[in-house]
Amino acid sequence: MKTFELRESKVRSYCRSFPVIFKQARGAELITADGKHYIDFLAGAGTLNYGHNHPQLKQALLDYIEGDGVTHGLDMYTAAKERFLETFARLILEPRGMADYRMQFTGPTGTNAVEAALKLARKVTGRSNVISFTNGFHGCSIGALAATGNQHHRGASGTGLADVSRMPYANYFGDKTNTIGMMDKLLSDPSSGIDKPAAVIVETVQGEGGLNVASAEWMRKLEKLCLKHGMLLIVDDIQAGCGRTGSFFSFEEMGIKPDIVTLSKSLSGYGLPFAMVLLRQELDQWQPGEHNGTFRGNNHAFVTAAAALEHFWQTDEFSGSVKAKGKRIADGMQRIIRRHGPDSLFLKGRGMMLGISCPDGEIAAAVCRQAFADGLVVETSGAHSEVVKCLCPLVISEAQIDKALNILDKAFAAVMGEQAANQAS
Ligand SMILES: *Cc1c(COP(=O)(O)O)cnc(C)c1O
């Protein structure tokens, strides 16, 4: 541990919650240098939907490297890229009636994709303002950070974060407030002070923002609002996409058609850096090289991403298993809630993007600490870090789910029990 404390910048973060040295990882497990096994309910913050070192993906990558496949090729045509483009179109876009989207490869992180999406929306519409939502998270480079809500991250910008109007997310004011109607009024009033936006950027489930869920109805109304006011609809599916909610895209059962979709995190399937923007064909108004980058399209990621699509998305079987496991986890969490805090704990999220909301961040942190001591890597999310967030690999086994839920049950019992005792004394 000394080396990290001595040499690595203080900006390091997740490692502070899990102060051990991990050496190996397989499926839904992380293994330390001294052989201790942990179940991984963090999974690279949603980057490891298919688990660590999935054997088929690993083999595809090993074969590619062994054959001296191109590793870096700027954005030149490579066999790996061709295969990915063809596979993504065949297995994802075409069956979903989305063959008219173009794929843009940006720099390899999520925030790169968001920057490109916002830049394109502004270029195409000639407008500069963008609507983003309370508790939304879109990345930490300046343009994406402007759209991000989190004060801790925003505060580090050191410069102005301009051209974003924040609006209340789906149920920000509870179920009774019509946030779409509110936005419509603001956008229809030339003196509201809200300039006509180029786009709205939205997550269907707010991953970092506390697993707040937008309903299909709200998303459909948002799409209508976009049409009415000439704004593009950008769905940031970086965390909720790639199967996390049960379907490949988090919005595909909602009956909407976003103008732009951002993907990253689990897109490579193997934890490799990789990001992509999907844009409706008529929006593809880029000049060659107008949005540039040395690492646009990672050939190793093209290989593993195509292998992941072929392995998991040829049939509906995987999607069905995600839904079933999501239900198993949600049921287990409901039991924990009933036992340890029926009035103070709440289930959040959808699909396999689930968490338990606690009365405050200290309680959630104490639960995560206790769980870690018992062999479960789990983190918090939310405005006050109050949600214990379970983002396990989608390939996790039922036995591992049950084991992890037992660890969580014990942790909630200890922390909520202590809480009750403190209140009584
Ligand atoms: C993680 C995330 C990003 C940013 O991705 P990075 O790779 O960390 O830059 C953007 N949007 C959403 C919804 C995310 O979850």
Side-chain angles (χ1 to χ4, degrees), residues 1-10 12:
M1 226 63 68
K2 264 215 174 68
T3 308
F4 303 100
E5 282 157 20
L6 185 66
R7 302 292 177 194
E8 193 179 359
S9 160
K10 289 205 258 303
R12 63 193 192 277

Side-chain angles (χ1 to χ4, degrees), residues 14 23 35 40-41 44 80 90 93 116 129 178-179 188 202 209 223 226 232 250 277 288 363 385 391 403:
Y14 289 108
K23 189 170 174 200
D40 190 0
F41 262 36
R90 178 169 53 85
L93 296 180
N129 193 28
N178 176 1
T179 50
S188 304
V202 63
E223 184 182 54
C226 285
L232 300 179
S250 69
V277 181
I363 293 176
S385 304
L391 217 61
K403 189 172 166 196

Side-chain angles (χ1 to χ4, degrees), residues 109-112 114 137-140 203 208 236 238-239 264-265:
T109 70
T111 202
N112 293 142
V114 170
F137 181 84
H138 303 289
C140 284
E203 298 159 89
E208 298 305 301
D236 181 349
I238 289 173
Q239 190 161 152
S264 181
K265 290 206 165 87

